[in-house]
Amino acid sequence: MASAGALFAVLAVLAHSLALPLPPGGMDTTLADHKRAVEYLSHYFLYNSKAGEHGFEEKLAEMQRYFRLTVTGHLNVDTMAMMKKPRCGMPDVADFTVFPGRPKWTTTSLTYRITNYTPDLPVTTVRQIIQRAFDVWAEVTPLSFRRVNSRNADIVIQFASGSHGDGLPFDGQGNVLAHAYAPGPGIGGDAHFDEDEKWTTTQLGTNLFLVAAHEFGHSLGLSHSEDPSALMYPFYAYVRTNNYHLPRDDVRGIQSLYGRRW
Ligand code: 0D3
Ligand code: ZN
């Protein structure tokens, strides 16, 4: 028969083995584990600790998915064990992707030609939008972009409906909005916009600036990203376009090909 003192001692040991107080991760991990997980996710999965507890759970789920662990979004023994394994020091995340063979332009001063204009917007507006869409990439790389009328422009831009000579016909309004080719000679780098979309400068219809900026990412060598906040995410979603700067994932992607600005 245990005395009250012995019972207390047992409880104290129990509490200790449970590492109370309970950390945010749950029952079977300690605060030290949580701290270690934050460091691990920050280094290898580019977790920003300012993202808070919800951001932590999302990053943790990403890490669990990556290592084929059970995806819970909570720290558990299996996840901690994976984090404690000796490993390569390079980060595991590169949400952005490039095309097979990493094609890229070999000059930093690129030219583009706009072969025809959408009737949806004034010519001067289209010209400004296209230049702005290039400039979001120029802002973070050594690249520069200049409009020319020459046939041998690097990047040829056109608006077209349905079949337009490249074997990839557009599909009427909605679905595919545009497409662009990876860097290279000939059709390489060219960007085609589906004229059946309603091209706009606003949230209504399809915002030409956002689609052009996305397509030029392809023209420069980026394929799609799995990061939903990336410009190179495969699905169009409107975001504010005044004072637009590239999302971090796209910056990392384009700089992996062309390096930084200075
Ligand atoms: C496309 O048409 C992309 C173009 C694109 C994607 C994201 C942001 C700007 C431009 C082809 S490279 N995507 C289709 C799309 O988003 C799937 N269609 C409209 C829609 O809402 N599903
Ligand atoms: Zn795309």
Side-chain angles (χ1 to χ4, degrees):
M1 183 67 163
S3 71
L7 188 61
F8 179 79
V10 166
L11 281 176
V13 167
L14 204 65
H16 183 76
S17 74
L18 288 172
L20 297 174
L22 288 176
M27 281 283 225
D28 48 5
T29 56
T30 64
L31 275 173
D33 283 344
H34 183 76
K35 183 160 174 285
R36 184 168 180 150
V38 167
E39 284 162 6
Y40 187 95
L41 294 176
S42 304
H43 185 85
Y44 296 111
F45 288 83
L46 310 182
Y47 168 61
N48 179 355
S49 51
K50 289 191 206 106
E53 195 53 31
H54 182 67
F56 175 81
E57 288 172 10
E58 274 186 6
K59 271 292 164 191
L60 193 64
E62 186 183 326
M63 179 267 183
Q64 290 167 331
R65 200 171 302 115
Y66 182 85
F67 287 112
R68 309 278 195 276
L69 299 165
T70 308
V71 179
T72 61
H74 295 280
L75 268 188
N76 52 34
V77 171
D78 287 355
T79 307
M80 275 324 298
M82 187 58 85
M83 288 185 178
K84 286 172 181 170
K85 277 192 187 198
R87 53 156 300 151
C88 167
M90 293 300 290
D92 292 320
V93 277
D95 275 331
F96 67 84
T97 61
V98 299
F99 294 107
R102 278 181 84 76
K104 61 175 213 159
W105 299 102
T106 51
T107 164
T108 56
S109 124
L110 295 165
T111 57
Y112 66 90
R113 181 162 85 102
I114 307 176
T115 62
N116 68 327
Y117 288 84
T118 173
D120 301 348
L121 295 165
V123 166
T124 52
T125 304
V126 172
R127 285 187 180 158
Q128 284 166 12
I129 288 173
I130 295 295
Q131 185 63 48
R132 275 214 300 133
F134 277 121
D135 285 343
V136 303
W137 298 102
E139 190 179 33
V140 298
T141 60
L143 301 173
S144 68
F145 301 92
R146 185 168 49 92
R147 186 173 65 83
V148 296
N149 292 312
S150 157
R151 306 228 137 249
N152 41 39
D154 299 308
I155 296 167
V156 177
I157 294 160
Q158 65 171 81
F159 291 86
S161 301
S163 298
H164 51 279
D166 64 357
L168 290 174
F170 282 132
D171 52 4
Q173 193 153 50
N175 300 308
V176 175
L177 310 172
H179 56 225
Y181 293 84
I187 203 171
D190 294 1
H192 302 164
F193 296 86
D194 187 348
E195 186 51 69
D196 289 337
E197 311 309 332
K198 172 91 184 119
W199 297 107
T200 71
T201 60
T202 65
Q203 185 163 9
L204 303 170
T206 307
N207 187 280
L208 179 59
F209 168 77
L210 292 172
V211 175
H214 174 101
E215 296 310 321
F216 299 157
H218 292 316
S219 301
L220 297 176
L222 289 183
S223 189
H224 287 142
S225 171
E226 284 184 32
D227 179 346
S229 66
L231 175 61
M232 296 314 293
Y233 194 62
F235 306 104
Y236 171 85
Y238 177 80
V239 294
R240 285 185 44 182
T241 60
N242 50 345
N243 204 357
Y244 184 89
H245 298 285
L246 274 185
R248 328 164 57 90
D249 180 64
D250 306 286
V251 173
R252 286 196 301 116
I254 204 68
Q255 289 182 344
S256 79
L257 289 172
Y258 297 99
R260 295 162 173 270
R261 180 100 216 245
W262 302 118

